[in-house]
Amino acid sequence: MAKGPEKNTKNKALHTKLLNRKKAKLREEKEAQAKRLKVLAAKINENKNGEDSDLSKNSKQNTMEEFGRIIVSETAMKSENPQDVVHSNISVINLMREEGVDDELIHEDAITSYYLDYYYSQYAEGNFAQFVHNSGWNKELNELIEEGLALIGAEKHLELFLEQSKKVRITSNIKLDKFLKGKLEGANPVRDALNNDKFFELEENLAELNANFLKNHPDFEVLSVDDMFAALEEFVGHEIKRA
């Protein structure tokens, strides 16, 4: 594990990498917004004789922007357990989903952290086969995890994920489909073939790397619970019930 100046250098490199990603994303969003405005202008010309309410609704949906913040609680940030920072981010995402916010409007790197934790928890609880079984071996999810592991610098975990993914690819479609639809427990040769205990031997703390990825992110903020709710309520446009 990196310490001292070496760790600081890695954190600065990650911060710079994330800033560059953010700048590139902002450019893409501006271009996309310009295209949306052109489409909207065309719709206005086509609908001069009515449908004003529908147009207004479409306009609002098209111009709604991403929640450009990654927020966690002060309590999580003060915790010595890095997993608490990750779980605080997850709680925010779950709350936003409950309030009807689409994933496309949640910060993409917050989502990346969310699914990296899903992969981590599934593997830690029931080995790689459980992740494959419970996720349904989803192509988009697998790509996100692969990209996420590379982004947070989890080189050893990325190598293992690619190695394990190859095992799934060489499994026949019939066997894989039967595995995904069947039970994980009991006699299960596909499960046993997919499992790999190497995950538990890696000298690379995935939970810590995930937490550091969030904490070093340029859009990362630490807020009180009240301020977290205030930020989310402002975004969704209505009061959010507290448990």
PDB file of all heavy atoms in Angstrom, residues 43-44 46-53 55:
ATOM      1  N   LYS A  43     -39.344  21.536 -32.845  1.00  0.00           N
ATOM      2  CA  LYS A  43     -40.643  21.131 -32.299  1.00  0.00           C
ATOM      3  C   LYS A  43     -41.555  22.334 -32.089  1.00  0.00           C
ATOM      4  O   LYS A  43     -42.760  22.263 -32.299  1.00  0.00           O
ATOM      5  CB  LYS A  43     -40.442  20.392 -30.975  1.00  0.00           C
ATOM      6  CG  LYS A  43     -39.929  18.973 -31.133  1.00  0.00           C
ATOM      7  CD  LYS A  43     -39.861  18.273 -29.785  1.00  0.00           C
ATOM      8  CE  LYS A  43     -39.396  16.828 -29.949  1.00  0.00           C
ATOM      9  NZ  LYS A  43     -39.305  16.129 -28.655  1.00  0.00           N
ATOM     10  N   ILE A  44     -40.975  23.453 -31.675  1.00  0.00           N
ATOM     11  CA  ILE A  44     -41.768  24.667 -31.459  1.00  0.00           C
ATOM     12  C   ILE A  44     -42.406  25.113 -32.772  1.00  0.00           C
ATOM     13  O   ILE A  44     -43.578  25.479 -32.828  1.00  0.00           O
ATOM     14  CB  ILE A  44     -40.892  25.793 -30.864  1.00  0.00           C
ATOM     15  CG1 ILE A  44     -40.498  25.451 -29.428  1.00  0.00           C
ATOM     16  CG2 ILE A  44     -41.614  27.130 -30.910  1.00  0.00           C
ATOM     17  CD1 ILE A  44     -39.506  26.396 -28.811  1.00  0.00           C
ATOM     18  N   GLU A  46     -43.110  23.266 -35.272  1.00  0.00           N
ATOM     19  CA  GLU A  46     -44.079  22.277 -35.728  1.00  0.00           C
ATOM     20  C   GLU A  46     -45.367  22.288 -34.913  1.00  0.00           C
ATOM     21  O   GLU A  46     -46.394  21.791 -35.346  1.00  0.00           O
ATOM     22  CB  GLU A  46     -43.459  20.865 -35.652  1.00  0.00           C
ATOM     23  CG  GLU A  46     -42.357  20.640 -36.674  1.00  0.00           C
ATOM     24  CD  GLU A  46     -41.661  19.300 -36.462  1.00  0.00           C
ATOM     25  OE1 GLU A  46     -42.105  18.544 -35.572  1.00  0.00           O
ATOM     26  OE2 GLU A  46     -40.692  19.019 -37.170  1.00  0.00           O
ATOM     27  N   ASN A  47     -45.284  22.850 -33.700  1.00  0.00           N
ATOM     28  CA  ASN A  47     -46.433  22.769 -32.796  1.00  0.00           C
ATOM     29  C   ASN A  47     -46.997  24.139 -32.416  1.00  0.00           C
ATOM     30  O   ASN A  47     -47.466  24.355 -31.309  1.00  0.00           O
ATOM     31  CB  ASN A  47     -46.033  22.019 -31.517  1.00  0.00           C
ATOM     32  CG  ASN A  47     -45.699  20.567 -31.789  1.00  0.00           C
ATOM     33  OD1 ASN A  47     -46.581  19.742 -31.920  1.00  0.00           O
ATOM     34  ND2 ASN A  47     -44.414  20.266 -31.900  1.00  0.00           N
ATOM     35  N   LYS A  48     -46.933  25.091 -33.342  1.00  0.00           N
ATOM     36  CA  LYS A  48     -47.431  26.431 -33.057  1.00  0.00           C
ATOM     37  C   LYS A  48     -48.931  26.444 -32.780  1.00  0.00           C
ATOM     38  O   LYS A  48     -49.439  27.312 -32.094  1.00  0.00           O
ATOM     39  CB  LYS A  48     -47.127  27.357 -34.242  1.00  0.00           C
ATOM     40  CG  LYS A  48     -45.687  27.834 -34.268  1.00  0.00           C
ATOM     41  CD  LYS A  48     -45.462  28.790 -35.417  1.00  0.00           C
ATOM     42  CE  LYS A  48     -44.024  29.297 -35.416  1.00  0.00           C
ATOM     43  NZ  LYS A  48     -43.763  30.200 -36.553  1.00  0.00           N
ATOM     44  N   ASN A  49     -49.631  25.474 -33.330  1.00  0.00           N
ATOM     45  CA  ASN A  49     -51.089  25.452 -33.218  1.00  0.00           C
ATOM     46  C   ASN A  49     -51.601  24.728 -31.966  1.00  0.00           C
ATOM     47  O   ASN A  49     -52.795  24.505 -31.827  1.00  0.00           O
ATOM     48  CB  ASN A  49     -51.702  24.790 -34.459  1.00  0.00           C
ATOM     49  CG  ASN A  49     -51.435  25.601 -35.702  1.00  0.00           C
ATOM     50  OD1 ASN A  49     -51.373  26.817 -35.642  1.00  0.00           O
ATOM     51  ND2 ASN A  49     -51.277  24.912 -36.825  1.00  0.00           N
ATOM     52  N   GLY A  50     -50.728  24.322 -31.086  1.00  0.00           N
ATOM     53  CA  GLY A  50     -51.204  23.645 -29.873  1.00  0.00           C
ATOM     54  C   GLY A  50     -50.127  22.817 -29.230  1.00  0.00           C
ATOM     55  O   GLY A  50     -48.948  22.935 -29.551  1.00  0.00           O
ATOM     56  N   GLU A  51     -50.567  21.984 -28.284  1.00  0.00           N
ATOM     57  CA  GLU A  51     -49.678  21.080 -27.559  1.00  0.00           C
ATOM     58  C   GLU A  51     -48.617  21.824 -26.774  1.00  0.00           C
ATOM     59  O   GLU A  51     -47.497  21.361 -26.598  1.00  0.00           O
ATOM     60  CB  GLU A  51     -49.009  20.081 -28.520  1.00  0.00           C
ATOM     61  CG  GLU A  51     -49.994  19.244 -29.293  1.00  0.00           C
ATOM     62  CD  GLU A  51     -49.307  18.272 -30.231  1.00  0.00           C
ATOM     63  OE1 GLU A  51     -48.064  18.243 -30.254  1.00  0.00           O
ATOM     64  OE2 GLU A  51     -50.011  17.547 -30.936  1.00  0.00           O
ATOM     65  N   ASP A  52     -48.966  23.006 -26.277  1.00  0.00           N
ATOM     66  CA  ASP A  52     -47.997  23.809 -25.524  1.00  0.00           C
ATOM     67  C   ASP A  52     -47.572  23.113 -24.235  1.00  0.00           C
ATOM     68  O   ASP A  52     -46.406  23.171 -23.848  1.00  0.00           O
ATOM     69  CB  ASP A  52     -48.605  25.173 -25.181  1.00  0.00           C
ATOM     70  CG  ASP A  52     -48.776  26.044 -26.414  1.00  0.00           C
ATOM     71  OD1 ASP A  52     -48.078  25.762 -27.406  1.00  0.00           O
ATOM     72  OD2 ASP A  52     -49.594  26.975 -26.387  1.00  0.00           O
ATOM     73  N   SER A  53     -48.526  22.476 -23.574  1.00  0.00           N
ATOM     74  CA  SER A  53     -48.198  21.823 -22.304  1.00  0.00           C
ATOM     75  C   SER A  53     -47.245  20.652 -22.515  1.00  0.00           C
ATOM     76  O   SER A  53     -46.327  20.435 -21.738  1.00  0.00           O
ATOM     77  CB  SER A  53     -49.468  21.333 -21.604  1.00  0.00           C
ATOM     78  OG  SER A  53     -50.148  20.413 -22.428  1.00  0.00           O
ATOM     79  N   LEU A  55     -45.101  20.339 -24.946  1.00  0.00           N
ATOM     80  CA  LEU A  55     -43.811  20.896 -25.320  1.00  0.00           C
ATOM     81  C   LEU A  55     -43.055  21.376 -24.089  1.00  0.00           C
ATOM     82  O   LEU A  55     -41.850  21.173 -23.955  1.00  0.00           O
ATOM     83  CB  LEU A  55     -44.027  22.052 -26.294  1.00  0.00           C
ATOM     84  CG  LEU A  55     -42.771  22.676 -26.904  1.00  0.00           C
ATOM     85  CD1 LEU A  55     -41.994  21.611 -27.669  1.00  0.00           C
ATOM     86  CD2 LEU A  55     -43.138  23.820 -27.803  1.00  0.00           C
TER      87      LEU A  55
END
